[in-house]
């Protein structure tokens, strides 16, 4: 992507004012976005984005610059401009490059850029027809298709030189049901670190049907009661609560500055005994998986909480300096315009021993959250507020009527302590996560779990 001799000169220029570390990140990205509504393609956008990021450290100082000028002169100018913010007495020279071979665990049989657009549209149309024909109350279906190829090169003054190719594909289906008085939404958005083979093997009957089934079911639901109840949260995207309310609190971005309730607590009990919380970027072909992070570190499995005990954090290279702990391969960024920081990949609660049937049958009275929606969280405190896309009452150990308008309100660290049953049906859901270094593909996951008590927002007096 760039000649080694040019990168060597740029790394040296970045250290001319006394920095102790320099890094070059080169990105060449191709994207393809399609949107289909009312059975017709509404938009089709393809693009290419190329740029270079240059980062410099001096102790606990960090400077970041980026440019789209890939000429040697342009890169040297950007590096020297950035270096002006660094002042030191000792000038060091970059170490000789050591080529690092990337071992990929994410095979790509069908490259999306080699697939004709008509084949992609045919997948979208099939999903549309399944969703639209599910029920007469389905008034609108929108199907979005996305694929990208991201080629990166990471080189630094410590001798690292590594290149990687990331390919991702995703299909998002949104259904709207209406009875003339109200409207309800359903959504499903599977994605993977895969090529077009992911689309060809996707169970469209399941995903497209579920999107519309959710909307139709909620159309006939009654208002959810408010109060404090045991809450059963189903697997897959149910893990979004712990991603937001706990996962971000375990990132060094917050921990290194003591802006997390988990700071300085390794070895302490922070969750119930049945909770083991993991971030694993090595899961084959999963949406949030990586070969290397955006600092060139190899992806790995990081056990964050084990049987309730805090074991570690997600740490990037710069915050490793602050914390005096090694990087965990967690430095990620949206693109070259962002400096990397600690971020999640595929984060999930590990499976337990209970079956979903046992969890429901052992719940005398509560709420069953089948599919989660969006929400808000305060990363410093872990306080959260999440909407439930599809929910049901549980009475006498059996699922009851569907309820709409349910909101789960609580505190992530406290909720971890209140998880009293964990199922054996682990599944992952694809999503996008926003933070300091931009928006990134991540998986959230869990088996079905039960929280012994949660505050449920709804409507008073309903039961």
């Amino acid at each position: 992507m760039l000649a080694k001799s040019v990168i060597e000169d740029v790394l040296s220029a970045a250290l001319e004012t006394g920095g102790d570390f320099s890094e070059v990140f080169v990105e060449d990205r191709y994207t393809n976005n399609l949107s289909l509504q009312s059975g017709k393609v509404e938009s089709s956008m393809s693009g290419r984005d190329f740029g270079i990021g240059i980062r410099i450290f001096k102790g606990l100082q960090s400077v970041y610059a980026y440019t789209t000028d890939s000429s040697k002169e342009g890169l040297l100018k950007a590096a020297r401009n950035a270096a002006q913010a660094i002042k030191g007495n000792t000038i060091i020279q970059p170490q000789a490059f050591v080529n690092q071979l990337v071992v990929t665990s994410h095979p790509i049989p069908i490259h999306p850029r080699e697939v004709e657009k008509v084949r992609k549209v045919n997948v979208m149309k099939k999903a549309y027809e399944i969703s639209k024909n599910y029920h007469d109350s389905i008034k609108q279906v929108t199907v979005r298709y996305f694929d990208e190829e991201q080629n990166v090169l990471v080189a630094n003054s410590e001798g690292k030189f590594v290149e990687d190719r990331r390919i991702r594909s995703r299909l998002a289906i949104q259904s709207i049901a209406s009875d003339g008085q109200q409207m309800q939404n359903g959504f499903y958005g599977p994605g993977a670190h895969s090529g077009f083979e992911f689309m060809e093997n996707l169970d469209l009957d399941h995903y497209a049907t579920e999107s519309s089934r959710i909307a139709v079911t909620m159309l006939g639901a009654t208002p959810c009661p408010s109060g404090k109840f045991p809450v059963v949260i189903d697997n897959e995207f149910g893990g979004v609560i712990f991603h937001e309310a706990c996962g971000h609190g375990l990132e060094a971005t917050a921990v290194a500055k003591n802006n997390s309730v988990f700071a300085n607590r390794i070895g302490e009990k922070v969750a119930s005994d049945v909770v083991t919380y993991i971030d694993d970027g090595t899961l084959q072909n999963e949406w949030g998986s990586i070969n290397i992070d955006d600092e060139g570190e190899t992806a790995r499995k990081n056990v964050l909480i084990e049987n309730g005990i805090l074991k570690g954090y997600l740490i990037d290279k710069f915050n490793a300096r602050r914390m005096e702990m090694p990087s965990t391969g967690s430095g990620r960024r949206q693109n070259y315009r962002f400096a990397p920081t600690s971020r999640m990949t595929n984060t999930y609660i590990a499976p337990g021993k209970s079956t979903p049937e046992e969890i429901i049958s052992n719940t005398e009275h509560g709420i069953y959250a089948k599919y989660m929606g969006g929400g808000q969280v305060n990363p410093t405190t872990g306080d959260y507020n999440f909407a439930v896309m599809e929910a049901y009452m549980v009475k006498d150990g059996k699922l009851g009527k569907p309820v709409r308008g349910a909101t789960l309100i609580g505190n992530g660290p406290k909720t971890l302590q209140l998880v009293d049953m964990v199922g054996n049906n682990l599944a992952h859901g694809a999503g996008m996560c926003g933070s300091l270094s931009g928006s990134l593909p991540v998986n959230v996951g869990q088996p079905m779990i039960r929280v012994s008590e949660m505050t449920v927002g709804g409507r008073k007096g309903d039961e």
Side-chain angles (χ1 to χ4, degrees), residues 311-322:
K311 293 293 185 178
Y313 305 113
L314 297 174
I315 307 173
D316 60 283
K317 194 169 186 66
F318 181 66
N319 283 304
R321 294 185 168 210
R322 286 174 167 161

Side-chain angles (χ1 to χ4, degrees), residues 63-83:
V63 179
Y64 189 72
Y66 66 86
T67 179
T68 57
D69 184 351
S70 61
S71 69
K72 181 175 180 178
E73 295 75 16
L75 292 171
L76 289 174
K77 180 180 179 180
R80 289 178 173 134
N81 285 342

Side-chain angles (χ1 to χ4, degrees), residues 28 33 102 106 244 334 340:
D28 193 4
N33 287 276
V102 175
H106 317 296
E244 294 288 355
Q334 178 177 328

Side-chain angles (χ1 to χ4, degrees), residues 278-282 299-303 348:
I278 297 168
D279 183 90
D280 189 353
T282 71
R300 65 203 70 175
K301 178 179 180 179
N302 293 299
V303 178
Y348 59 95

Side-chain angles (χ1 to χ4, degrees), residues 138-156:
I138 297 296
K139 303 304 180 184
Q140 181 175 303
V141 174
T142 301
V143 181
R144 293 183 175 87
Y145 171 97
F146 166 83
D147 65 51
E148 75 169 8
E149 174 189 341
Q150 183 195 26
N151 298 290
V152 302
L153 183 157
V154 182
N156 65 34

Side-chain angles (χ1 to χ4, degrees), residues 207-398:
Y207 291 111
T209 296
E210 278 294 273
S211 174
S212 290
R213 186 199 60 75
I214 294 166
V216 173
T217 299
M218 290 297 97
L219 198 63
T222 57
C224 181
S226 62
K228 292 186 176 181
F229 305 98
V231 175
V232 176
I233 306 174
D234 214 340
N235 63 357
E236 199 172 324
F237 204 72
V240 69
I241 286 183
F242 294 100
H243 165 96
E244 294 288 355
C246 301
H248 282 298
L250 293 168
E251 293 171 336
T253 308
V255 176
K257 296 180 180 179
N258 289 319
N259 289 334
S260 167
V261 293
F262 296 110
N264 303 309
R265 296 188 64 189
I266 288 181
E268 294 185 21
K269 186 174 177 59
V270 297
S272 72
D273 294 342
V274 295
V275 173
T276 292
Y277 198 48
I278 297 168
D279 183 90
D280 189 353
T282 71
L283 299 178
Q284 188 177 74
N285 291 113
E286 289 292 346
W287 174 247
S289 292
I290 56 176
N291 295 308
I292 59 169
D293 72 0
D294 291 325
E295 298 176 317
E297 294 293 321
T298 302
R300 65 203 70 175
K301 178 179 180 179
N302 293 299
V303 178
L304 305 172
I305 299 171
E306 186 172 28
N307 299 325
I309 305 298
L310 182 61
K311 293 293 185 178
Y313 305 113
L314 297 174
I315 307 173
D316 60 283
K317 194 169 186 66
F318 181 66
N319 283 304
R321 294 185 168 210
R322 286 174 167 161
M323 299 170 67
E324 297 183 348
M325 300 174 72
S327 165
T328 58
S330 305
R332 301 185 69 195
R333 63 182 107 194
Q334 178 177 328
N335 53 45
Y336 66 88
R337 297 177 181 86
F338 294 84
T341 192
S342 53
R343 302 293 297 274
M344 288 171 273
T345 56
N346 306 303
T347 314
Y348 59 95
I349 293 177
K353 298 179 180 179
S354 301
T355 66
E357 294 76 17
E358 288 171 341
I359 294 174
I360 295 294
S361 65
N362 279 278
T363 304
E364 183 176 345
H365 180 73
I367 302 291
Y368 166 51
K370 182 171 178 60
Y371 288 117
M372 296 300 302
Q376 296 177 328
V377 63
N378 182 330
T380 302
T381 63
D383 293 334
Y384 62 78
N385 184 316
F386 278 88
V388 182
M389 186 162 55
E390 181 180 3
Y392 298 81
M393 295 301 301
V394 180
K395 287 189 176 182
D396 300 322
K398 297 180 180 179

Side-chain angles (χ1 to χ4, degrees), residues 23-50:
E23 174 193 80
V24 171
F25 176 83
V26 187
E27 177 187 28
D28 193 4
R29 183 194 298 255
Y30 301 83
T31 57
N32 186 37
N33 287 276
L34 297 166
S35 178
L36 184 146
Q37 197 172 78
S38 301
K40 299 179 181 179
V41 176
E42 291 288 321
S43 64
S44 176
M45 297 177 61
S46 299
R48 182 182 181 185
D49 195 14
F50 178 87

